[in-house]
Amino acid sequence: MRKQSFFLIAFIAGILLFSMNARAQMIDAKSPQEIRNYIYSKKINLEEMPAYSVTPSTSQPYTTGNLSQGSLNSALNTLNAVRYIAGLPEVSLDTDLCQKAQTTSLINAVNNYQSHYPSKPQGMDEAMYKLGFDAASQSNLAHTGNGLNYDIVFGWMADNGANNLSSVGHRKWCLSSRMRKTGFGLVNDYATMYALDMSGTKNGRYVAWPAQNMPLEFFYEVDNMLPWSLTVGKTVNASGVSVTLTRRNDGKILHFSATSMADGYFNVDNSYKGDQGCIIFQPHLLYSAGDSFHVSISGVDSSPIEYDVSFFSVSDCLVYNTEINLNKDNASIDVGKTIKLSAKVKPDKTKIAWMSSDTSIATVNNGTVKGISEGETDIVAYAPNGVKAVCRVTVTDPSITKNIKILKSYKPKIKKKSASKKSIILTVEKPSIKNVQFEVQYKKGSGKWVSIISKKNKIKIKKLKAGKKYKIRVRVYKKYRDNNQYSKWSKTISFLRIQQ
């Protein structure tokens, strides 16, 4: 008995050890409350537009200018928020790296072209050009016009562009385990983040994005096509890797591998952009606060890598500048018709997307709403940070309105009536509206009306008493807009059942 108990304990311990090893390499996850506290304490504003302490000049003689210390700190806080969410250490601003990044932004702004290997602008000092040129190939670049904080979260961390998806290189640099210093630059919307600092030590832990506890506002894209990634810090053979993603809410399972991309894009990147060995998969899913996923990745280690991702909201912890005001809060349209909604947005350059909460009722394309079928739906205008405005749209089918009007004015006629043993048979005139139901009511003397419902216009009233006089009336009805719509009652007729 003791021997059996020993083997049972050893077996259970082995299972627990296997499970612990499968998760042991994952970086320590910050709790949702820790993340909320961090974002709130840093006053993260994903919409903030940078300011200058010295304004740059893109005409000769060129001057790089300087971002204000407040703008630099804000960009740094945003980058560190991303790293904190992922479980990585903070980085600090470096004055020399900021000067390099600012010079790169100036060169790209003068050339009016974004390049990691920019050409020399006419008349630019050689030393200035060399400083910016060298930094350009060592930096994340962007040109969105939405500010550095936006570029960090919705540009470099999103990394879902056609040229970026295979490596998510910008994301990998932001999440580099060895980065300890950075610098930022911005001139005429040309943004630069110095990314190749490797002054820290490699931590050897696996880093996931979305992180194990993930704020929705940091993983948002209108088309919901953001790639997931797990960086393991070592070379990975893509041919042996497979990913299983399970949505815990409903049990939906997606599979990703080099040989199976039916559920979404898959790749493994072993370049030295950030840390090596990045497993990339791109599910086509919508995400909401409370959604939870389990990730299982086999073919990297001797046992599968297992981790969970839970989404939650930090909208009440962020600072917002965005305002979206629609020209209508409520609107009504007919099926097949369209109306145009317009949005006033602050700041002016903020991009918005449109969405219908129920496309079977109404669709929307760049603010143009088209009625599809009767009902109500919300038409939503979204900003990239999740700020939204809603118009409640009611779609009406004119043919239904017409039929209801016809039905309410219709007075059916009893065309035929006959008696048989203990029953009466009625034939009721059909209205022009199809698929109505018939309600026949009858009563004996001054008694209560008794109803019979029939889908056919020929109705038989059974179990009547011989020699009694009955009153009979008929109406038709049909269900429209969740309610039965009735015609008028027919003329009440009296009927003496004489058969015994």
Side-chain angles (χ1 to χ4, degrees):
M1 187 67 180
R2 289 181 180 176
K3 192 174 183 180
Q4 290 178 339
S5 298
F6 173 78
F7 282 122
L8 178 60
I9 292 170
F11 176 73
I12 294 172
I15 292 175
L16 291 173
L17 182 62
F18 177 86
S19 177
M20 289 173 65
N21 286 340
R23 297 174 183 263
Q25 293 297 323
M26 292 300 299
I27 202 162
D28 294 335
K30 301 295 183 183
S31 72
Q33 192 56 52
E34 287 175 324
I35 292 170
R36 288 173 58 83
N37 291 344
Y38 186 93
I39 291 171
Y40 182 80
S41 69
K42 298 295 183 179
K43 296 181 173 57
I44 303 299
N45 182 347
L46 301 179
E47 305 168 334
E48 183 175 324
M49 299 304 291
Y52 295 97
S53 59
V54 178
T55 304
S57 173
T58 55
S59 58
Q60 298 184 50
Y62 305 113
T63 55
T64 57
N66 292 312
L67 285 166
S68 70
Q69 193 59 49
S71 294
L72 289 170
N73 289 340
S74 180
L76 180 69
N77 287 341
T78 303
L79 176 61
N80 277 332
V82 165
R83 292 176 64 84
Y84 186 86
I85 292 165
L88 291 164
E90 292 183 338
V91 297
S92 61
L93 284 174
D94 182 272
T95 303
D96 290 340
L97 296 183
C98 285
Q99 185 60 39
K100 288 181 178 181
Q102 185 67 15
T103 307
T104 297
S105 290
L106 175 70
I107 294 172
N108 282 332
V110 173
N111 290 337
N112 198 25
Y113 182 75
Q114 178 178 295
S115 174
H116 287 287
Y117 303 96
S119 59
K120 182 181 178 182
Q122 184 177 2
M124 179 170 282
D125 176 77
E126 183 64 31
M128 176 184 285
Y129 172 64
K130 187 177 188 311
L131 186 69
F133 179 87
D134 291 346
S137 60
Q138 301 170 356
S139 301
N140 285 345
L141 306 179
H143 184 217
T144 67
N146 291 316
L148 282 166
N149 298 356
Y150 176 99
D151 291 336
I152 291 168
V153 174
F154 304 115
W156 300 321
M157 287 304 298
D159 235 9
N160 60 332
N163 296 327
N164 304 319
L165 184 59
S166 63
S167 67
V168 292
H170 302 94
R171 178 189 294 179
K172 287 174 63 183
W173 283 124
C174 290
L175 299 180
S176 170
S177 64
R178 296 183 64 182
M179 183 192 290
R180 294 295 181 272
K181 298 183 293 184
T182 189
F184 297 97
L186 185 74
V187 179
N188 289 5
D189 298 332
Y190 284 91
T192 304
M193 184 197 92
Y194 189 88
L196 261 68
D197 174 69
M198 303 180 78
S199 58
T201 56
K202 192 175 179 180
N203 65 14
R205 308 295 291 278
Y206 298 172
V207 179
W209 196 264
Q212 294 169 80
N213 289 309
M214 189 67 207
L216 276 172
E217 291 76 11
F218 284 72
F219 198 74
Y220 173 84
E221 177 66 23
V222 171
D223 61 11
N224 299 291
M225 293 284 283
L226 293 179
W228 293 42
S229 61
L230 181 74
T231 304
V232 299
K234 59 186 178 184
T235 301
V236 175
N237 183 358
S239 63
V241 177
S242 64
V243 178
T244 301
L245 180 67
T246 305
R247 185 163 59 192
R248 293 191 183 278
N249 307 53
D250 59 4
K252 182 180 180 66
I253 299 175
L254 301 177
H255 299 280
F256 307 87
S257 69
T259 58
S260 177
M261 297 194 195
D263 290 334
Y265 178 83
F266 173 87
N267 193 41
V268 173
D269 177 66
N270 287 307
S271 70
Y272 285 92
K273 297 175 181 176
D275 296 322
Q276 259 190 308
C278 185
I279 300 152
I280 303 157
F281 50 103
Q282 188 183 35
H284 301 172
L285 295 172
L286 297 169
Y287 307 108
S288 301
D291 284 351
S292 178
F293 295 83
H294 180 71
V295 182
S296 178
I297 302 177
S298 60
V300 178
D301 296 328
S302 57
S303 58
I305 302 168
E306 309 270 356
Y307 66 97
D308 295 324
V309 173
S310 298
F311 288 94
F312 66 101
S313 177
V314 294
S315 62
D316 57 333
C317 302
L318 293 165
V319 177
Y320 290 110
N321 293 340
T322 300
E323 292 181 18
I324 304 175
N325 294 295
L326 299 181
N327 60 326
K328 295 177 182 288
D329 295 324
N330 296 278
S332 298
I333 54 172
D334 290 339
V335 170
K337 300 295 184 179
T338 62
I339 58 169
K340 178 69 175 178
L341 297 180
S342 59
K344 290 184 179 180
V345 182
K346 294 180 181 179
D348 293 340
K349 291 185 178 180
T350 302
K351 297 178 182 178
I352 62 169
W354 296 84
M355 176 182 172
S356 171
S357 63
D358 191 340
T359 54
S360 68
I361 294 174
T363 59
V364 61
N365 181 19
N366 197 29
T368 300
V369 182
K370 182 177 181 179
I372 304 299
S373 65
E374 278 223 337
E376 291 186 332
T377 184
D378 287 334
I379 302 299
V380 186
Y382 281 98
N385 58 14
V387 173
K388 62 186 178 181
V390 179
C391 176
R392 186 69 171 173
V393 172
T394 301
V395 181
T396 304
D397 188 337
S399 65
I400 292 178
T401 303
K402 180 181 178 182
N403 284 349
I404 291 174
K405 186 175 181 180
I406 292 172
L407 197 58
K408 286 185 174 181
S409 63
Y410 179 68
K411 188 172 184 177
K413 294 179 181 179
I414 299 173
K415 295 173 63 177
K416 293 181 182 180
K417 54 184 184 294
S418 60
S420 61
K421 190 175 181 180
K422 294 186 178 181
S423 64
I424 297 173
I425 299 173
L426 304 174
T427 301
V428 182
E429 181 183 61
K430 290 183 178 180
S432 59
I433 300 168
K434 296 181 179 180
N435 300 320
V436 297
Q437 297 203 72
F438 298 84
E439 181 182 9
V440 176
Q441 286 191 340
Y442 66 95
K443 69 176 181 177
K444 181 177 64 175
S446 59
K448 293 182 179 181
W449 289 103
V450 178
S451 290
I452 297 174
I453 304 299
S454 174
K455 292 182 179 180
K456 297 181 179 180
N457 70 321
K458 190 173 184 179
I459 304 116
K460 188 174 186 179
I461 306 173
K462 302 177 181 179
K463 297 181 180 180
L464 303 178
K465 291 185 178 181
K468 299 295 181 179
K469 189 174 183 179
Y470 289 89
K471 291 181 179 180
I472 301 170
R473 63 183 183 180
V474 181
R475 66 178 177 179
V476 298
Y477 70 93
K478 187 172 181 177
K479 193 170 188 176
Y480 288 115
R481 297 169 184 161
D482 297 324
N483 291 299
N484 289 333
Q485 305 293 335
Y486 292 92
S487 73
K488 298 178 179 179
W489 285 106
S490 68
K491 181 180 178 181
T492 301
I493 63 171
S494 296
F495 200 98
L496 180 65
R497 204 190 69 75
I498 56 174
Q499 294 192 24
Q500 301 297 315

